Amino acid sequence: MNQKRACIYPKDIQRITGRSERYGRKLLNDIKSFLDKQPHQFITVDEFSEYSGIQLDIVNKYIRD
């Protein structure tokens, strides 16, 4: 499988869920808290997929370079 990027951004979450970019920022912060990551650390596409329950191949369809 060919991933374009390793990390996910709020704009990606907006495209995937149809929610606002602000919701995407909040969700990323929730995932960081859940995974016990520091604020400067990134969330990977795999971590987002596992947390959200959305299949990885579906997430990858929405990720742009």
Side-chain angles (χ1 to χ4, degrees), residues 32 36-42:
K32 285 179 188 180
D36 198 30
K37 287 194 170 198
Q38 295 183 8
H40 69 277
Q41 293 178 307
F42 292 103

Side-chain angles (χ1 to χ4, degrees), residues 4 16 55-64:
K4 298 175 183 172
I16 294 166
Q55 294 177 354
L56 187 58
D57 58 334
I58 294 172
V59 173
N60 281 326
K61 288 179 185 178
Y62 288 91
I63 303 293
R64 296 184 184 169

Side-chain angles (χ1 to χ4, degrees), residues 46-56 58-59:
D46 293 331
E47 290 169 337
F48 172 76
S49 175
E50 185 177 329
Y51 182 86
S52 67
I54 301 171
Q55 294 177 354
L56 187 58
I58 294 172
V59 173

Side-chain angles (χ1 to χ4, degrees), residues 3-18:
Q3 277 189 336
K4 298 175 183 172
R5 280 191 272 120
C7 58
I8 194 159
Y9 296 102
K11 191 73 172 176
D12 300 322
I13 295 173
Q14 180 182 14
R15 283 191 212 107
I16 294 166
T17 63

